[in-house]
Amino acid sequence: MLKGLIHMIRNSLVRLLLVLAGLMAVASTPAYAVVELNINKGNVQPMPIAITDLLSNDTLGPQISSVISADLQRSGLFAPINKQAFIEKITNPDSTPRFQDWTSINAQALVTGRVTQEGGRLRAEFRLWDTFGNSQMIGQQFYAQPDNWRRVAHIIADAIYEKITGEKGYFDTRVVFVAESGPKTARKTQLGIMDQDGANVRMLTDGSDLVLTPRFSPNRQEVTYMSFANQQPRVYLLQLQTGQRELVGNFPGMTFSPRFSPDGQRVIMSLQQEGNANIYTMDLRSRTTTRLTSTAAIDTSPSYSPDGTQVAFESDRGGQPQIYVMNADGSNQRRISFGNGSYSTPVWSPRGDLIAFTKRAGGNFSIGVMKPDGSGERILTSGSYSEGPTWAPNGRVIMFFRAPSGASGPQIYSIDLTGYNEQKIPTPGFASDPAWSPLLE
């Protein structure tokens, strides 16, 4: 039974608050842009954009521009133009560019700016230009400690993304994950955390215990996860700033698949007792528990809707794992997955419009989405042992992990809702169970 439950835990695969000292956005210049990108059309043609090196007396300017370019390109919505094609050399980012030099290379938008040092702090300025509309779309500046230059780049990329698409970006975020090392028969696991592009990796645990299913709290300062400390599967809360670990509850039997409620006041999880597993919530202030399901089956992988009124979960009460939805108080439990094969690891989109899942059929694993009523099922990607979807905070991109056939261990990938933009996220070693943070503040 323990082996089966651990397998289900594997199938059930905040936000780190790094205060950017002195960070503030000022001098925002709103404008009505001719350039816009409709990201609701399905397979969107990437927009050509010219991203010049931010002027600086050192390498920070080009480094920031490089991260901005990589963020936008990785989204699949933008196609940064090779700098060798640039005609105009930007020497003063405060001056209006020669728009014809940019439209002649088909740049629909242009990014210029500078980086300076003021009193030991980094000052980064940028302007976004509509080249065909001959106008500035936005201008902002940010202050930060020099070590936080990558975060400045992500914030600028988010500002560009939002101005052109009309929706929030997702680049200034973190991902908590399970870092894996060693042979399969003696795998060491640690909780790791990184920027959404795989940079700035650091470990949160020492690897002495098996860890699984980390999840961010809405306040970005805590992670809940499952640990086999002392050979007992328990759910813990980890304070990201202090490293303090706290046991959620000392329940008899196993506890697994923890996840926060949208308001951060509760943790919902699965508790195993007498051969079955049911879903419970715990109030983090009073530590009182409420049972939501009561079956002779394995109910696991609960995930709240963004408004907290409903819960999606996985259950094998019908013979094989399927996705069910119920009200937050446990009432009105109904099955929503009816395709061929089994369904697991449901995760509600931050937008509330879709539920991501893992599907297994004919020995093949897929990552897909469906509407909360089970309609509109779409498979985004398939491959050997693909599992554990997690949503970007804007609900447009999904991360998951995959262990390709013949590979020594799993790796993390991302894919957008079109299914056309799958990318591998670089990690120092094997990595699984990703969980995306909300946007940082």
Side-chain angles (χ1 to χ4, degrees):
M1 184 64 194
L2 178 61
K3 182 178 179 180
L5 286 171
I6 292 175
H7 178 71
M8 291 201 68
I9 294 166
R10 271 289 181 197
N11 287 346
S12 66
L13 301 182
V14 115
R15 193 170 170 181
L16 175 61
L17 185 62
L18 295 177
V19 177
L20 193 60
L23 180 65
M24 59 182 179
V26 297
S28 177
T29 306
Y32 292 99
V34 174
V35 173
E36 61 181 18
L37 193 60
N38 185 348
I39 62 178
N40 296 306
K41 297 189 304 182
N43 187 13
V44 177
Q45 186 69 26
M47 172 185 289
I49 184 172
I51 302 171
T52 65
D53 286 339
L54 302 190
L55 300 180
S56 65
N57 294 325
D58 51 27
T59 61
L60 273 183
Q63 287 174 326
I64 290 175
S65 295
S66 177
V67 173
I68 294 169
S69 179
D71 279 347
L72 296 177
Q73 184 173 36
R74 197 168 49 254
S75 75
L77 300 178
F78 299 88
I81 296 173
N82 192 316
K83 290 183 175 64
Q84 293 182 351
F86 295 176
I87 299 172
E88 180 184 11
K89 180 178 176 61
I90 299 296
T91 58
N92 182 4
D94 297 325
S95 299
T96 301
R98 298 195 302 265
F99 291 115
Q100 186 175 357
D101 286 352
W102 300 99
T103 57
S104 65
I105 62 172
N106 198 33
Q108 297 183 35
L110 167 68
V111 178
T112 64
R114 66 162 64 90
V115 178
T116 56
Q117 299 274 351
E118 294 185 2
R121 291 193 304 168
L122 178 152
R123 178 187 178 186
E125 308 168 67
F126 86 97
R127 297 176 188 268
L128 176 65
W129 303 90
D130 178 351
T131 57
F132 286 90
N134 296 343
S135 63
Q136 178 178 306
M137 300 171 67
I138 190 173
Q140 291 182 340
Q141 61 183 355
F142 303 94
Y143 292 90
Q145 295 299 323
D147 289 347
N148 284 320
W149 65 268
R150 289 190 66 91
R151 188 175 174 203
V152 171
H154 294 319
I155 292 171
I156 293 174
D158 278 332
I160 295 168
Y161 182 102
E162 181 175 1
K163 191 63 182 178
I164 293 179
T165 68
E167 296 195 355
K168 289 285 187 182
Y170 58 91
F171 306 119
D172 185 29
T173 55
R174 305 289 186 265
V175 175
V176 65
F177 65 101
V178 175
E180 303 186 21
S181 59
K184 290 183 178 181
T185 56
R187 188 62 51 93
K188 176 182 176 180
T189 63
Q190 294 174 266
L191 288 189
I193 195 164
M194 62 183 176
D195 294 352
Q196 52 78 28
D197 59 356
N200 292 329
V201 175
R202 68 183 179 95
M203 295 301 147
L204 302 174
T205 61
D206 61 10
S208 58
D209 303 312
L210 174 65
V211 292
L212 296 170
T213 60
R215 302 290 180 258
F216 274 97
S217 75
N219 68 13
R220 311 163 191 86
Q221 298 181 28
E222 294 175 315
V223 169
T224 180
Y225 68 100
M226 178 183 168
S227 172
F228 278 78
N230 300 319
Q231 305 302 313
Q232 293 294 320
R234 295 287 184 265
V235 173
Y236 290 87
L237 294 178
L238 178 67
Q239 297 287 336
L240 291 174
Q241 290 181 314
T242 66
Q244 181 179 354
R245 188 176 77 163
E246 179 183 1
L247 184 65
V248 171
N250 190 17
F251 306 102
M254 296 178 64
T255 58
F256 47 95
S257 303
R259 194 181 293 270
F260 285 94
S261 61
D263 61 8
Q265 299 302 311
R266 290 162 291 162
V267 169
I268 191 168
M269 61 196 133
S270 184
L271 305 183
Q272 182 268 331
Q273 295 174 334
E274 298 179 355
N276 58 12
N278 284 285
I279 294 172
Y280 292 74
T281 61
M282 169 176 274
D283 186 294
L284 292 175
R285 292 166 297 185
S286 66
R287 297 300 169 124
T288 58
T289 59
T290 302
R291 183 170 180 166
L292 300 184
T293 67
S294 181
T295 68
I298 295 178
D299 296 341
T300 187
S301 301
S303 173
Y304 278 102
S305 61
D307 62 6
T309 62
Q310 297 185 84
V311 175
F313 64 101
E314 169 191 341
S315 177
D316 66 355
R317 63 185 65 180
Q320 63 177 343
Q322 298 291 338
I323 297 175
Y324 291 75
V325 170
M326 61 183 169
N327 296 339
D329 62 0
S331 62
N332 193 24
Q333 298 179 21
R334 66 271 189 196
R335 177 177 164 180
I336 64 168
S337 61
F338 291 95
N340 294 327
S342 63
Y343 294 75
S344 59
T345 66
V347 186
W348 221 298
S349 165
R351 303 166 64 90
D353 57 340
L354 294 170
I355 294 173
F357 58 84
T358 301
K359 182 177 183 178
R360 184 176 183 181
N364 195 42
F365 288 80
S366 303
I367 302 295
V369 294
M370 65 175 64
K371 295 180 181 179
D373 63 0
S375 64
E377 178 180 328
R378 287 191 296 119
I379 298 300
L380 303 180
T381 182
S382 297
S384 58
Y385 209 75
S386 299
E387 292 192 84
T390 180
W391 290 92
N394 68 353
R396 292 294 184 184
V397 180
I398 290 172
M399 274 190 191
F400 63 98
F401 74 95
R402 172 183 292 149
S405 179
S408 300
Q411 299 288 342
I412 295 176
Y413 294 78
S414 68
I415 192 165
D416 63 22
L417 288 182
T418 68
Y420 291 103
N421 186 35
E422 181 174 316
Q423 304 203 23
K424 182 180 177 181
I425 306 300
T427 54
F430 303 136
S432 63
D433 294 12
W436 217 316
S437 80
L439 278 170
L440 297 178
E441 292 180 349

